[in-house]
Amino acid sequence: MEHSKRQFLKGCGALLAGVSVYTVTKSPLAENTEAEPHSEIKYAMVHDENICIGCNACVEACREVNHVPEGVTRLNIERSGPFGEYPEQSYRFNRVSCQHCEAAPCVRVCPTGAAYIDKETGIVAVHEERCVGCQYCIAACPYQVRFINPETRTADKCDFCQQTQLKKGLAPACVLACPTKALTFGNLKDPDSDLVRLLKSKPTYRSKVDLGTRPKLFHVQNIDGEIML
Amino acid sequence: MSAFHFEGLVWHWPIAIYLFLAGLSAGAVFFAIMLKHFKLAGEAYHSPFVQAAAIIAPIAVFGGLGILVLDLTKPLDFWKILVFYNTTSVMSMGVLVLMAYQVALFAWMACIFNQMILQLLGDRLAFVSSFIKWLVKQEAAITGVLVILSISLGAYTGFLLSALIGFPLLNNPVLPLLFLISGLSSGAAATLLGGVLLRGNPNGIEVRFIHGIEIPMILVEIGLIFTFFVGLILSGGQSQVAALNAIGYGFWGWIFWGGVIGVGLTLPLAANLWMKVSADRKFTYVAVTASFSLIGVFLLRNFILYTGQMTGI
């Protein structure tokens, strides 16, 4: 009896440890390059910081098209500066919005599967009905771009206008609204797209790549102004 | 930057209370099982300390879950967490552990208090009586499963936070162990406090047994906290910034040194060491030492949760 109990306990423990290690290694963050063979589309975006003038037209267009309530936003233009002495002054602008990570931490931690990666387009999206509002995704996102929509009470974020513009065959609202064409949106898998051409012609960087999230928001770095450490 | 409100803060104090209560429940059960297994055997149900643990464990876990549900932005949709599972989500796995833990907890309590329950039932509800008798036959297996589940639950709250890759203080491999050990010690303290409040003998074998485990446990906890912060500081970069921000000057630095290290660890350790060589334990002594431990663990949960979210990568 004593012997079999001990064996049983050991077995339970081993099983538990095995199951947890198995599920963790299966996680999207562990390098998993299994391509989606069926989908022809993988959307991405480039923000050219040299062209952006920080007018916030993109932010307002997004709010209008996606009905984002006041007080929260899917998209922010972060301003740093001014650099230099007047009249030789300049600012830097950085787009802060969902990066549509290939290995999205928010998708990994979501307990109900409400945060998911759309297999057809690579867009990180939210199932509104499934979200219970535990805010685990908000805490897990290293880019801090998720928020609770005060009207729907669900986790909300940029979805490249999947539900609004893309459905109509249009580019995302921010891209269309940008007066200086600082934003380029397109399909990474299409070698003839403006997006891929731009990525091949200008050096770009992505934010926090060392976390292994493989974001799909690219930035063309600003070369004006001071050198910062 | 204010201590309780700052940019990037997602999880507030209700989550800290939940983390505290889940660990406390797991710890109380763990020590009740140890008491029965090593000291009390068939007499366990008489012991006010085991009774206290049997009251505290379910109340703590229900209370914690209640707080968690109310903290959702859509509390009425909480059942979706029980229906949909995501195998890569620590929270999903934790919910499974919590569910299984509650089943095992009540099965174990039915085994321990089977005589009382059967007496209370008398001739009524024969199927309940026969079910309890069947459970009693499975007690060894139920106890074993409950030990594993209570340890899993204690560690789970740590894994929940360490899955947040953007915060170096939380995304730390020592955190689940630290939460497990501190959770167990809070459960021990709650069991002692509840036991003496239920008029248990403050100098009884239960208290001596738990106190005997408490000294090495506090030492391990101090070692884990040391490893936790030295590990962060030696990692450099934002990890170092996060660690020094947390235990340096300011509100949370005071909470850490005064509350967690002072009240929560040093005072109980000193009291335990002193009691080991001195005479009888009194009610006040047991109650005050246990309260210090509880306060310390509660402050540790708040400290980790808030300072953890202060510095991101």
Side-chain angles (χ1 to χ4, degrees), chain A residues 1-12, chain B residues 37 140-141:
Chain A
M1 180 62 207
E2 197 50 38
H3 187 63
S4 69
K5 182 169 121 190
R6 187 165 300 168
Q7 295 236 314
F8 174 75
L9 275 181
K10 276 187 193 161
C12 280
Chain B
H37 195 77

Side-chain angles (χ1 to χ4, degrees), chain A residues 204-223:
Chain A
T204 52
Y205 76 95
R206 294 177 296 159
S207 180
K208 304 179 186 180
V209 276
D210 46 328
L211 292 176
T213 53
R214 288 147 65 210
K216 291 201 289 281
L217 176 60
F218 298 79
H219 307 266
V220 179
Q221 181 141 26
N222 190 301
I223 52 169

Side-chain angles (χ1 to χ4, degrees), chain A residues 164-185:
Chain A
T164 49
Q165 299 285 98
L166 294 193
K167 267 191 179 165
K168 295 184 215 157
L170 297 168
C174 53
V175 177
L176 295 182
C178 182
T180 58
K181 305 261 181 290
L183 291 169
T184 310
F185 174 79

